[in-house]
Amino acid sequence: MNHLVNANKKVSDTPRTDRQPVVTVAFQQFVKAGFARQLERQLAGANKRIKELEAKVNELNDLKKWLEGR
């Protein structure tokens, strides 16, 4: 069963920014600075979380190797 209204519709790569009002200057479109800063903070937080999870994976892999060697 297909729940999509239109399966051929292209989904935007930037859905959050597509919904934001833009400022147009010399044919370039920009989102507001506050929204851009919010995205940067969220990206930094996500990247930090990725590094934390990668460290935990490495620790678990080390533990697994240690247990296999016993």
Side-chain angles (χ1 to χ4, degrees), residues 3 21 24 39 41 53-54 69:
H3 295 288
T24 303
L39 290 177
R41 284 190 303 272
L53 291 173
E54 287 173 341

Side-chain angles (χ1 to χ4, degrees), residues 7-26:
N8 295 325
K9 180 181 175 187
K10 181 179 182 329
V11 177
S12 172
D13 292 335
T14 56
R16 290 181 63 198
T17 54
D18 288 349
R19 291 192 303 263
Q20 292 297 313
V22 295
V23 176
T24 303
V25 178

Side-chain angles (χ1 to χ4, degrees), residues 63-70:
L63 178 60
K64 180 181 174 185
K65 288 177 187 175
W66 182 78
L67 288 172
E68 288 172 349
R70 288 180 71 190

Side-chain angles (χ1 to χ4, degrees), residues 1-57:
M1 184 172 174
N2 187 354
H3 295 288
L4 297 174
V5 175
N6 183 354
N8 295 325
K9 180 181 175 187
K10 181 179 182 329
V11 177
S12 172
D13 292 335
T14 56
R16 290 181 63 198
T17 54
D18 288 349
R19 291 192 303 263
Q20 292 297 313
V22 295
V23 176
T24 303
V25 178
F27 302 107
Q28 296 287 324
Q29 291 186 330
F30 303 93
V31 294
K32 292 186 176 184
F35 179 68
R37 283 191 290 272
Q38 175 188 358
L39 290 177
E40 288 291 330
R41 284 190 303 272
Q42 290 173 342
L43 178 60
N47 285 335
K48 180 181 177 188
R49 181 69 175 139
I50 288 169
K51 287 182 181 182
E52 291 169 353
L53 291 173
E54 287 173 341
K56 288 184 181 194
V57 166

